Amino acid sequence: MQSLELADLFRAPCKTCGAQLKFSAEKQKLACDHCGNTEDIGFTRNKLQENPLDFKVENRQLPNAPTEEKRIFACQNCGAKTTVNYDVPTLTCAFCGSKNVNPEAQKTRLIEPAGVLPFRLSKEQALQRFKTWVGDSWLAPSDLKAGAALDNLHGMYIPFWTFDAQAHSSWEGDAGFYYYVPVQVRDANGRTVTQQQQRVRWEYRNGRHQAFYDDMLEMASRKLTQQENHVQEASRYDLKEIVDYDPRILLGWEAEVYSIDLNESARKAEEQIQEREQSACASQLGGDTQRNLRVQTELSNQTFKHILLPLWICSYVYNGKLYRFLVNGQTGQIAGERPKSAWKIALLVLAFILLVLFFMYLGKK
Ligand SMILES: [Zn+2]
Ligand SMILES: [Zn+2]
């Protein structure tokens, strides 16, 4: 189904000159690139409550199912009209490069974001973090530190789910304790010698464990699943700074709607809780070794929130190979792959070989 009406973009014109305002990470305000005027956003924290995790929610039909529907958007900067998918929250104009917010995109999903963590790290700061990080490793190629191929750095609000749950586990199992007994054995020459041999004394134990799991984060973007390990490394956020979702915070940035739904993410969060309960119960069981550990975990008071978190994303090609890295848009924590300089590694290998040869020479003398 395609409909090609002209859709409205979100507008926040500068009161002084009329140009589109942007959210500035440094100023934590709306700022005008044109005349330098700034406006306060007045962050609020009223909508950020936890929602009960009710799986019936996901079984209902989406009011506007994830859609391939296209709309025409007119750029607010240059007026050019482009056709894009209706569920894209931020649109970059192909003609002038300006970024626009499509306020309707979030409504194409059943659950709209309750909160957003505003970007704190500007593009310059993110680049600085990258240079320091690459420079950390002396194996990195020198020309990379100069910042080549970094035009591709995108500041993007990524959809996440957070989950809370109370876990109650009961466990039972056998804890094994090592002890040693002297045993008479024959050695290679046929003589009888005494050897200490390890034995295990098993002891049945049981108990209970409980814990509250607060704000377990699950990334909700399918596009980033290839980089899931890096996302985990870079997504240690201070969630206390989250404010109510407001489309103005997206002005000048990129954003996505979720593509991994609540149900799938909730199951992943539950698996993680089960694993953590399993290892907590194992450490209660104790012993030098264990067997037959059975853990029964029940979850209650399960709640969720849908939020947007800031991430700098970059992929670049270096010597014909694709590299990716991520920078946390709040803390500057960085994760990814860094290219290594081939000749520096060759030099290191050569130095090692020379060292080995040197010791071999010493050994012969
Ligand atoms: Zn202005
Ligand atoms: Zn434009």
Side-chain angles (χ1 to χ4, degrees), residues 160-209:
F160 277 82
W161 303 103
T162 76
F163 297 97
D164 290 3
Q166 176 68 48
H168 286 275
S169 301
S170 58
W171 58 265
E172 60 175 352
D174 301 325
F177 298 90
Y178 296 142
Y179 64 99
Y180 295 86
V181 290
V183 178
Q184 307 282 325
V185 292
R186 283 183 187 281
D187 69 4
N189 302 322
R191 282 175 303 198
T192 304
V193 291
T194 307
Q195 224 180 43
Q196 294 294 319
Q197 277 187 10
Q198 183 183 281
R199 298 277 191 277
V200 181
R201 176 177 58 79
W202 291 103
E203 188 183 313
Y204 171 84
R205 291 174 171 184
N206 60 40
R208 289 176 175 282
H209 179 266

Side-chain angles (χ1 to χ4, degrees), residues 4 26 39 42 70 93 95 125 130 137 187 210:
L4 286 174
E26 298 103 316
E39 278 177 32
K70 308 266 192 215
C93 175
F95 297 92
Q125 288 170 314
F130 173 75
S137 156
D187 69 4
Q210 55 165 302

Side-chain angles (χ1 to χ4, degrees), residues 14 17 32 35:
C14 171
C17 75
C32 178
C35 72

Side-chain angles (χ1 to χ4, degrees), residues 1-4 64-73 83-88 108-109 223 257 259:
M1 191 187 75
Q2 295 218 330
S3 93
L4 286 174
N64 304 292
T67 173
E68 289 297 303
E69 202 177 320
K70 308 266 192 215
R71 292 284 167 95
I72 298 169
F73 291 93
T83 311
V84 288
N85 275 4
Y86 194 43
D87 65 352
V88 182
T108 63
R109 296 293 185 273
K223 281 185 204 156
V257 288
S259 44

Side-chain angles (χ1 to χ4, degrees), residues 249-296:
I249 300 170
L250 269 48
L251 284 170
W253 301 85
E254 293 171 45
E256 258 185 56
V257 288
Y258 64 85
S259 44
I260 302 177
D261 69 21
L262 178 62
N263 225 334
E264 185 177 339
S265 297
R267 271 197 303 271
K268 276 168 72 186
E270 284 179 4
E271 273 166 31
Q272 273 194 52
I273 293 176
Q274 305 277 5
E275 274 168 33
R276 281 163 66 172
E277 283 295 297
Q278 183 84 22
S279 64
C281 293
S283 76
Q284 280 192 350
L285 172 59
D288 302 315
T289 180
Q290 301 180 340
R291 69 180 186 193
N292 301 335
L293 174 62
R294 277 180 301 276
V295 178
Q296 287 273 356

